Amino acid sequence: EKGGYDYFMLKEIAEQPKAVADTLLGRIDLAGNLCLDEVRIPASVLREVSKVVIVACGTASHAGMIAKYAIEHWTRIPCETELASEFRYRDPILDQRTLVIAISQSGETMDTLMALRHAREQGAKVLAICNTNGSTIPRESDAVLYTHAGPEVAVASTKAFLTQLVACYLVALYLGQVRGTKWGDEILSVIRELSEIATQVDQVLETMEPVRELARSLADKNTVLFLGRHVGYPVALEGALKLKELAYMHAEGFAAGELKHGPIALIEQDVPVVVVVPSPRGRSVLHDKIVSNIQEIRARGARTIVIAERGDETVAPYADHLIEIPATPTLLQPLVATVPLQVFACELATARGNEVDQPRNLAKSVTVE
Ligand code: F6R
Protein backbone atom coordinates (compact mmCIF):
# COMPACT_ATOMS: atom_id res chain seq x y z
CA GLU A 1 0.00 0.00 0.00
CA LYS A 2 2.97 2.31 0.56
CA GLY A 3 4.10 1.39 -2.94
CA GLY A 4 7.65 0.52 -1.88
CA TYR A 5 8.16 3.69 0.19
CA ASP A 6 8.96 3.60 3.89
CA TYR A 7 6.23 6.11 4.68
CA PHE A 8 3.00 7.28 3.14
CA MET A 9 4.41 10.78 3.29
CA LEU A 10 7.27 9.85 0.95
CA LYS A 11 4.84 8.19 -1.41
CA GLU A 12 2.56 11.20 -1.37
CA ILE A 13 5.43 13.62 -1.97
CA ALA A 14 6.42 11.51 -4.97
CA GLU A 15 2.84 11.49 -6.27
CA GLN A 16 2.72 15.27 -6.55
CA PRO A 17 3.43 15.59 -10.27
CA LYS A 18 0.52 13.28 -11.01
CA ALA A 19 -1.73 14.97 -8.43
CA VAL A 20 -1.06 18.34 -10.04
CA ALA A 21 -1.65 17.01 -13.56
CA ASP A 22 -4.85 15.24 -12.50
CA THR A 23 -6.19 18.39 -10.91
CA LEU A 24 -5.71 20.25 -14.19
CA LEU A 25 -7.12 17.46 -16.31
CA GLY A 26 -10.25 18.37 -18.24
CA ARG A 27 -10.23 21.91 -16.90
CA ILE A 28 -8.35 23.54 -19.77
CA ASP A 29 -9.71 23.24 -23.30
CA LEU A 30 -7.69 22.93 -26.49
CA ALA A 31 -7.78 26.66 -27.07
CA GLY A 32 -6.20 27.23 -23.65
CA ASN A 33 -9.35 28.51 -21.97
CA LEU A 34 -10.52 27.35 -18.59
CA CYS A 35 -13.68 25.33 -18.45
CA LEU A 36 -14.98 25.12 -14.92
CA ASP A 37 -18.66 24.58 -15.73
CA GLU A 38 -18.59 21.85 -13.08
CA VAL A 39 -18.42 24.60 -10.44
CA ARG A 40 -21.98 25.53 -11.44
CA ILE A 41 -21.84 29.12 -10.27
CA PRO A 42 -23.14 31.04 -13.28
CA ALA A 43 -20.74 33.53 -14.86
CA SER A 44 -23.40 36.18 -14.23
CA VAL A 45 -23.03 35.59 -10.48
CA LEU A 46 -19.23 35.57 -10.63
CA ARG A 47 -19.25 38.88 -12.48
CA GLU A 48 -21.12 40.47 -9.59
CA VAL A 49 -18.73 39.28 -6.87
CA SER A 50 -17.40 42.29 -4.96
CA LYS A 51 -15.25 40.52 -2.39
CA VAL A 52 -13.63 37.11 -1.91
CA VAL A 53 -13.04 35.67 1.54
CA ILE A 54 -11.03 32.49 1.92
CA VAL A 55 -11.37 30.37 5.05
CA ALA A 56 -9.27 27.33 5.94
CA CYS A 57 -7.03 25.84 8.64
CA GLY A 58 -3.39 24.86 8.81
CA THR A 59 -1.76 23.96 5.53
CA ALA A 60 -4.96 24.71 3.62
CA SER A 61 -4.86 28.26 5.02
CA HIS A 62 -1.39 28.68 3.51
CA ALA A 63 -2.85 27.74 0.13
CA GLY A 64 -5.50 30.39 0.82
CA MET A 65 -2.90 33.03 1.63
CA ILE A 66 -1.20 32.36 -1.70
CA ALA A 67 -4.56 32.45 -3.49
CA LYS A 68 -5.13 35.97 -2.21
CA TYR A 69 -2.16 37.25 -4.22
CA ALA A 70 -3.38 35.51 -7.36
CA ILE A 71 -7.02 36.54 -7.02
CA GLU A 72 -6.29 40.18 -6.35
CA HIS A 73 -3.71 40.37 -9.13
CA TRP A 74 -5.69 38.67 -11.87
CA THR A 75 -9.20 39.80 -10.96
CA ARG A 76 -8.75 43.06 -9.00
CA ILE A 77 -11.43 41.80 -6.59
CA PRO A 78 -10.46 42.48 -2.96
CA CYS A 79 -9.66 39.18 -1.28
CA GLU A 80 -8.92 38.31 2.32
CA THR A 81 -7.80 35.02 3.77
CA GLU A 82 -8.62 34.13 7.31
CA LEU A 83 -8.12 31.20 9.63
CA ALA A 84 -11.50 29.50 9.81
CA SER A 85 -11.27 29.33 13.60
CA GLU A 86 -10.99 33.12 13.85
CA PHE A 87 -13.41 34.09 11.11
CA ARG A 88 -16.76 33.35 12.70
CA TYR A 89 -16.05 34.99 16.00
CA ARG A 90 -15.42 38.49 14.75
CA ASP A 91 -18.74 39.17 13.06
CA PRO A 92 -17.32 39.35 9.52
CA ILE A 93 -18.96 41.58 6.92
CA LEU A 94 -20.57 39.39 4.25
CA ASP A 95 -23.37 39.73 1.75
CA GLN A 96 -24.78 38.18 -1.44
CA ARG A 97 -21.90 39.55 -3.47
CA THR A 98 -19.28 37.92 -1.26
CA LEU A 99 -17.72 34.73 -2.56
CA VAL A 100 -16.40 32.61 0.29
CA ILE A 101 -13.92 29.92 -0.65
CA ALA A 102 -13.51 27.13 1.92
CA ILE A 103 -10.40 25.03 1.37
CA SER A 104 -10.15 21.60 3.00
CA GLN A 105 -8.42 18.34 2.12
CA SER A 106 -10.65 16.18 4.31
CA GLY A 107 -13.85 18.15 3.90
CA GLU A 108 -14.56 17.45 7.56
CA THR A 109 -12.61 20.12 9.44
CA MET A 110 -15.05 21.48 12.00
CA ASP A 111 -13.68 25.03 12.12
CA THR A 112 -13.91 25.35 8.34
CA LEU A 113 -17.40 23.86 8.33
CA MET A 114 -18.63 26.26 11.00
CA ALA A 115 -17.12 29.19 9.10
CA LEU A 116 -18.91 28.27 5.88
CA ARG A 117 -22.21 27.72 7.68
CA HIS A 118 -21.88 31.19 9.14
CA ALA A 119 -21.07 32.64 5.73
CA ARG A 120 -24.10 31.03 4.11
CA GLU A 121 -26.36 32.29 6.89
CA GLN A 122 -25.22 35.80 5.99
CA GLY A 123 -26.16 35.20 2.35
CA ALA A 124 -22.65 34.69 0.93
CA LYS A 125 -22.02 32.13 -1.82
CA VAL A 126 -19.64 29.37 -0.74
CA LEU A 127 -17.30 27.52 -3.06
CA ALA A 128 -15.47 24.54 -1.54
CA ILE A 129 -12.06 23.41 -2.72
CA CYS A 130 -11.88 19.88 -1.40
CA ASN A 131 -10.11 16.56 -1.93
CA THR A 132 -12.71 14.20 -0.50
CA ASN A 133 -15.75 13.42 -2.62
CA GLY A 134 -19.06 13.72 -0.87
CA SER A 135 -17.59 14.96 2.41
CA THR A 136 -19.45 17.43 4.60
CA ILE A 137 -17.86 20.70 3.46
CA PRO A 138 -18.66 20.29 -0.25
CA ARG A 139 -22.12 18.94 0.61
CA GLU A 140 -22.90 22.09 2.56
CA SER A 141 -21.42 24.48 0.00
CA ASP A 142 -23.10 26.11 -3.00
CA ALA A 143 -20.43 24.75 -5.32
CA VAL A 144 -17.30 22.63 -5.28
CA LEU A 145 -14.08 22.31 -7.19
CA TYR A 146 -12.48 19.00 -6.30
CA THR A 147 -8.74 18.58 -6.09
CA HIS A 148 -7.64 15.27 -7.58
CA ALA A 149 -4.78 14.41 -5.26
CA GLY A 150 -6.15 10.96 -4.48
CA PRO A 151 -6.36 9.76 -0.87
CA GLU A 152 -3.85 11.45 1.43
CA VAL A 153 -2.97 9.16 4.33
CA ALA A 154 0.03 10.77 6.04
CA VAL A 155 -1.09 13.30 8.63
CA ALA A 156 1.15 16.00 7.17
CA SER A 157 -0.43 17.41 4.05
CA THR A 158 1.74 17.45 0.92
CA LYS A 159 0.10 16.53 -2.37
CA ALA A 160 -3.23 17.91 -1.17
CA PHE A 161 -1.54 21.29 -0.62
CA LEU A 162 -0.12 21.42 -4.13
CA THR A 163 -3.48 20.54 -5.62
CA GLN A 164 -5.22 23.13 -3.42
CA LEU A 165 -2.87 25.68 -4.94
CA VAL A 166 -3.69 24.49 -8.45
CA ALA A 167 -7.41 24.73 -7.70
CA CYS A 168 -6.95 28.23 -6.27
CA TYR A 169 -5.08 29.37 -9.37
CA LEU A 170 -7.82 27.88 -11.55
CA VAL A 171 -10.48 29.78 -9.63
CA ALA A 172 -8.46 33.01 -9.75
CA LEU A 173 -7.82 32.69 -13.48
CA TYR A 174 -11.42 31.69 -14.13
CA LEU A 175 -12.71 34.74 -12.26
CA GLY A 176 -10.33 36.82 -14.36
CA GLN A 177 -11.51 35.09 -17.52
CA VAL A 178 -15.25 35.55 -16.93
CA ARG A 179 -14.89 39.12 -15.73
CA GLY A 180 -12.28 40.17 -18.27
CA THR A 181 -9.35 42.15 -16.89
CA LYS A 182 -6.41 43.92 -18.39
CA TRP A 183 -4.40 40.80 -17.55
CA GLY A 184 -6.10 38.74 -20.28
CA ASP A 185 -2.83 37.87 -22.05
CA GLU A 186 -1.09 37.06 -18.80
CA ILE A 187 -3.99 34.78 -17.86
CA LEU A 188 -3.60 32.84 -21.11
CA SER A 189 0.13 32.47 -20.64
CA VAL A 190 -0.22 31.38 -17.00
CA ILE A 191 -2.71 28.70 -18.03
CA ARG A 192 -0.06 27.43 -20.43
CA GLU A 193 2.60 27.55 -17.73
CA LEU A 194 0.37 25.64 -15.31
CA SER A 195 0.49 22.71 -17.72
CA GLU A 196 4.29 22.67 -17.30
CA ILE A 197 4.21 22.55 -13.52
CA ALA A 198 3.86 18.77 -13.14
CA THR A 199 7.10 18.27 -15.09
CA GLN A 200 8.81 20.96 -13.03
CA VAL A 201 7.74 19.38 -9.73
CA ASP A 202 9.18 16.14 -11.07
CA GLN A 203 12.48 17.91 -11.79
CA VAL A 204 12.56 19.23 -8.23
CA LEU A 205 11.96 15.75 -6.84
CA GLU A 206 14.89 14.40 -8.83
CA THR A 207 17.32 16.83 -7.21
CA MET A 208 16.43 16.28 -3.56
CA GLU A 209 19.39 14.20 -2.38
CA PRO A 210 21.42 17.23 -1.18
CA VAL A 211 18.34 18.48 0.69
CA ARG A 212 18.02 15.15 2.50
CA GLU A 213 21.71 15.22 3.34
CA LEU A 214 21.41 18.76 4.66
CA ALA A 215 18.37 17.79 6.77
CA ARG A 216 20.29 14.91 8.37
CA SER A 217 23.13 17.25 9.25
CA LEU A 218 20.71 19.53 11.14
CA ALA A 219 19.08 16.81 13.23
CA ASP A 220 20.50 18.12 16.51
CA LYS A 221 19.53 21.77 15.99
CA ASN A 222 16.83 23.34 18.16
CA THR A 223 15.51 26.00 15.83
CA VAL A 224 15.06 26.58 12.12
CA LEU A 225 13.75 29.89 10.78
CA PHE A 226 12.05 30.44 7.42
CA LEU A 227 11.83 33.70 5.48
CA GLY A 228 9.93 34.69 2.40
CA ARG A 229 7.98 37.55 0.96
CA HIS A 230 4.99 37.95 -1.34
CA VAL A 231 3.87 34.38 -2.18
CA GLY A 232 7.11 33.12 -0.63
CA TYR A 233 5.86 34.22 2.79
CA PRO A 234 3.10 31.61 3.05
CA VAL A 235 5.63 29.10 1.65
CA ALA A 236 7.89 29.98 4.60
CA LEU A 237 4.98 29.47 6.99
CA GLU A 238 4.27 26.10 5.39
CA GLY A 239 7.92 25.04 5.67
CA ALA A 240 7.87 25.94 9.36
CA LEU A 241 4.58 24.15 9.99
CA LYS A 242 5.88 20.96 8.36
CA LEU A 243 8.98 21.06 10.53
CA LYS A 244 7.01 21.62 13.74
CA GLU A 245 4.56 18.86 13.16
CA LEU A 246 7.03 16.27 11.87
CA ALA A 247 10.40 17.04 13.48
CA TYR A 248 8.97 18.59 16.69
CA MET A 249 11.45 21.42 16.29
CA HIS A 250 10.96 25.07 16.99
CA ALA A 251 10.37 26.51 13.55
CA GLU A 252 9.01 29.90 12.59
CA GLY A 253 8.19 31.54 9.30
CA PHE A 254 8.55 35.30 8.86
CA ALA A 255 7.83 37.82 6.18
CA ALA A 256 11.37 38.85 5.25
CA GLY A 257 10.48 42.54 5.42
CA GLU A 258 9.63 42.09 9.10
CA LEU A 259 13.14 40.93 9.99
CA LYS A 260 14.33 44.28 11.22
CA HIS A 261 11.14 44.81 13.23
CA GLY A 262 12.10 42.06 15.65
CA PRO A 263 12.97 38.61 14.35
CA ILE A 264 16.52 39.55 13.37
CA ALA A 265 17.31 39.49 17.10
CA LEU A 266 16.93 35.70 16.90
CA ILE A 267 19.84 35.39 14.48
CA GLU A 268 22.93 33.99 16.12
CA GLN A 269 25.92 31.93 15.07
CA ASP A 270 24.94 28.88 12.99
CA VAL A 271 21.17 29.18 13.27
CA PRO A 272 19.74 27.66 10.07
CA VAL A 273 17.57 30.07 8.10
CA VAL A 274 15.71 28.88 5.03
CA VAL A 275 15.00 31.71 2.59
CA VAL A 276 12.58 31.47 -0.31
CA VAL A 277 13.82 33.80 -3.04
CA PRO A 278 11.40 35.16 -5.65
CA SER A 279 12.31 35.00 -9.30
CA PRO A 280 14.84 37.65 -10.39
CA ARG A 281 12.61 38.17 -13.43
CA GLY A 282 9.05 39.34 -12.76
CA ARG A 283 8.82 41.41 -9.59
CA SER A 284 12.56 41.91 -9.39
CA VAL A 285 12.41 44.52 -6.63
CA LEU A 286 11.28 41.79 -4.25
CA HIS A 287 14.18 39.66 -5.33
CA ASP A 288 16.74 42.35 -4.64
CA LYS A 289 15.28 43.12 -1.23
CA ILE A 290 15.46 39.51 -0.19
CA VAL A 291 19.04 39.21 -1.38
CA SER A 292 19.95 42.04 0.97
CA ASN A 293 18.04 40.30 3.80
CA ILE A 294 20.16 37.22 3.18
CA GLN A 295 23.32 39.32 3.39
CA GLU A 296 22.09 40.87 6.65
CA ILE A 297 21.41 37.59 8.41
CA ARG A 298 24.56 35.99 7.08
CA ALA A 299 26.66 38.85 8.43
CA ARG A 300 25.18 37.94 11.83
CA GLY A 301 26.21 34.32 11.58
CA ALA A 302 23.10 32.62 10.16
CA ARG A 303 23.59 29.50 8.10
CA THR A 304 21.65 30.36 4.98
CA ILE A 305 19.68 27.73 3.12
CA VAL A 306 18.51 29.45 -0.02
CA ILE A 307 15.75 28.25 -2.34
CA ALA A 308 16.19 30.15 -5.59
CA GLU A 309 15.45 29.91 -9.27
CA ARG A 310 18.04 27.94 -11.25
CA GLY A 311 20.59 30.32 -12.72
CA ASP A 312 19.98 33.08 -10.18
CA GLU A 313 23.60 34.13 -9.86
CA THR A 314 23.14 37.17 -7.65
CA VAL A 315 22.03 35.11 -4.68
CA ALA A 316 24.45 32.19 -4.93
CA PRO A 317 27.41 33.92 -3.19
CA TYR A 318 25.35 34.36 -0.01
CA ALA A 319 23.96 30.83 0.14
CA ASP A 320 25.65 28.35 2.45
CA HIS A 321 23.33 25.81 0.86
CA LEU A 322 21.64 26.50 -2.45
CA ILE A 323 18.51 24.62 -3.45
CA GLU A 324 17.66 25.34 -7.07
CA ILE A 325 14.13 25.24 -8.43
CA PRO A 326 12.86 25.68 -12.00
CA ALA A 327 11.81 29.09 -13.30
CA THR A 328 8.08 29.74 -13.04
CA PRO A 329 5.90 32.86 -13.16
CA THR A 330 6.18 34.62 -9.76
CA LEU A 331 2.68 33.70 -8.63
CA LEU A 332 3.16 29.99 -9.41
CA GLN A 333 6.49 29.62 -7.62
CA PRO A 334 4.96 28.09 -4.44
CA LEU A 335 4.15 24.97 -6.47
CA VAL A 336 7.85 24.23 -6.86
CA ALA A 337 9.30 26.04 -3.82
CA THR A 338 7.28 24.06 -1.26
CA VAL A 339 8.50 20.66 -2.40
CA PRO A 340 12.07 20.89 -0.98
CA LEU A 341 10.57 22.03 2.34
CA GLN A 342 8.40 18.92 2.51
CA VAL A 343 11.38 16.69 1.78
CA PHE A 344 13.47 18.62 4.33
CA ALA A 345 10.91 18.16 7.13
CA CYS A 346 10.30 14.52 6.32
CA GLU A 347 14.01 13.69 6.37
CA LEU A 348 14.63 15.64 9.57
CA ALA A 349 11.78 13.79 11.26
CA THR A 350 13.26 10.48 10.16
CA ALA A 351 16.72 11.48 11.36
CA ARG A 352 15.27 12.38 14.75
CA GLY A 353 13.54 9.00 14.96
CA ASN A 354 10.01 10.40 14.78
CA GLU A 355 6.95 8.66 13.45
CA VAL A 356 6.62 10.41 10.07
CA ASP A 357 3.10 9.40 9.08
CA GLN A 358 1.58 9.76 12.55
CA PRO A 359 3.17 12.69 14.39
CA ARG A 360 2.42 12.85 18.09
CA ASN A 361 -0.76 14.62 19.23
CA LEU A 362 -2.09 15.13 15.69
CA ALA A 363 -5.03 13.69 13.77
CA LYS A 364 -5.56 13.60 10.01
CA SER A 365 -8.88 15.30 10.20
CA VAL A 366 -9.83 17.64 12.99
CA THR A 367 -13.54 17.20 13.52
CA VAL A 368 -13.76 19.14 16.76
CA GLU A 369 -13.44 22.91 17.24
C1 F6R B 1 -0.59 20.12 8.13
C2 F6R B 1 -1.98 19.65 8.07
C3 F6R B 1 -3.07 20.42 8.74
C4 F6R B 1 -4.29 20.52 7.83
C5 F6R B 1 -5.46 21.21 8.55
C6 F6R B 1 -6.67 21.39 7.65
O1 F6R B 1 0.26 19.31 7.43
O2 F6R B 1 -2.23 18.63 7.47
O3 F6R B 1 -2.62 21.71 9.09
O4 F6R B 1 -3.95 21.21 6.68
O5 F6R B 1 -5.81 20.46 9.69
O6 F6R B 1 -7.16 20.14 7.22
P1 F6R B 1 -8.19 20.03 6.03
O7 F6R B 1 -7.48 20.48 4.80
O8 F6R B 1 -8.54 18.57 5.97
O9 F6R B 1 -9.34 20.93 6.34
Side-chain angles (χ1 to χ4, degrees):
E1 31 162 348
K2 292 184 196 145
Y5 293 92
D6 289 344
Y7 307 108
F8 279 107
M9 187 179 176
L10 287 171
K11 173 170 178 267
E12 290 163 4
I13 288 173
E15 284 169 350
Q16 293 185 109
K18 180 171 187 309
V20 164
D22 287 351
T23 300
L24 289 169
L25 203 68
R27 290 166 172 169
I28 300 172
D29 70 16
L30 291 172
N33 290 306
L34 292 175
C35 24
L36 294 188
D37 298 346
E38 61 186 295
V39 166
R40 292 203 308 261
I41 302 184
S44 56
V45 172
L46 293 178
R47 276 187 212 110
E48 290 304 311
V49 169
S50 63
K51 180 166 89 166
V52 178
V53 178
I54 303 177
V55 290
C57 302
T59 288
S61 79
H62 299 149
M65 287 175 75
I66 292 164
K68 172 186 159 75
Y69 291 87
I71 289 172
E72 291 199 334
H73 177 68
W74 286 320
T75 73
R76 307 313 292 158
I77 308 171
C79 173
E80 55 193 72
T81 297
E82 188 157 358
L83 294 172
S85 55
E86 291 292 323
F87 173 75
R88 196 164 52 109
Y89 299 99
R90 66 167 178 94
D91 195 11
I93 302 165
L94 304 162
D95 61 27
Q96 284 88 334
R97 295 179 63 196
T98 311
L99 176 66
V100 171
I101 303 179
I103 309 175
S104 174
Q105 188 286 129
S106 63
E108 302 296 346
T109 299
M110 187 55 75
D111 282 310
T112 311
L113 180 61
M114 297 310 269
L116 83 83
R117 281 185 185 159
H118 181 77
R120 289 193 79 195
E121 278 163 18
Q122 311 297 307
K125 279 257 173 301
V126 176
L127 166 66
I129 290 180
C130 184
N131 196 47
T132 310
N133 268 45
S135 54
T136 312
I137 287 172
R139 272 194 282 117
E140 294 207 13
S141 299
D142 296 288
V144 56
L145 183 63
Y146 280 109
T147 50
H148 295 158
E152 193 178 62
V153 178
V155 165
S157 188
T158 54
K159 61 176 180 170
F161 176 69
L162 255 60
T163 60
Q164 284 161 355
L165 285 177
V166 169
C168 287
Y169 293 126
L170 289 175
V171 169
L173 293 162
Y174 187 62
L175 278 169
Q177 183 178 294
V178 298
R179 295 164 68 99
T181 67
K182 66 171 177 163
W183 302 114
D185 288 345
E186 183 174 325
I187 288 176
L188 279 174
S189 86
V190 170
I191 293 172
R192 265 196 307 276
E193 310 235 24
L194 265 176
S195 330
E196 305 292 317
I197 289 288
T199 313
Q200 293 177 322
V201 172
D202 210 28
Q203 288 166 4
V204 175
L205 288 171
E206 275 166 19
T207 56
M208 286 297 95
E209 193 43 45
V211 173
R212 283 189 283 269
E213 205 173 294
L214 170 65
R216 290 193 290 272
S217 77
L218 298 176
D220 60 352
K221 292 279 180 196
N222 296 319
T223 295
V224 181
L225 304 177
F226 295 77
L227 295 178
R229 60 192 300 162
H230 194 258
V231 291
Y233 168 46
V235 172
L237 295 179
E238 174 62 6
L241 178 61
K242 284 285 158 297
L243 207 59
K244 283 176 219 175
E245 66 176 333
L246 292 165
Y248 317 151
M249 286 166 87
H250 171 231
E252 271 193 82
F254 299 108
E258 277 292 294
L259 257 184
K260 55 179 95 34
H261 301 289
I264 199 162
L266 290 170
I267 305 295
E268 54 188 19
Q269 198 58 39
D270 271 345
V271 64
V273 185
V274 179
V275 190
V276 184
V277 179
S279 164
R281 305 161 298 112
R283 293 163 184 71
S284 60
V285 53
L286 292 177
H287 173 269
D288 298 350
K289 288 197 162 151
I290 228 168
V291 174
S292 57
N293 290 142
I294 298 173
Q295 289 172 266
E296 277 159 13
I297 57 171
R298 200 156 183 263
R300 289 164 177 79
R303 186 155 154 199
T304 56
I305 302 164
V306 174
I307 301 180
E309 197 170 291
R310 186 170 306 126
D312 180 351
E313 276 158 21
T314 44
V315 81
Y318 311 109
D320 294 311
H321 306 271
L322 183 61
I323 302 169
E324 291 186 313
I325 52 174
T328 60
T330 302
L331 283 163
L332 301 188
Q333 197 200 47
L335 287 166
V336 289
T338 306
V339 175
L341 301 178
Q342 300 166 340
V343 172
F344 182 70
C346 184
E347 190 69 21
L348 250 164
T350 311
R352 286 163 73 95
N354 296 354
E355 185 55 63
V356 170
D357 285 337
Q358 288 287 340
R360 66 187 182 198
N361 309 340
L362 291 171
K364 183 64 183 161
S365 80
V366 184
T367 52
V368 289
E369 277 189 275

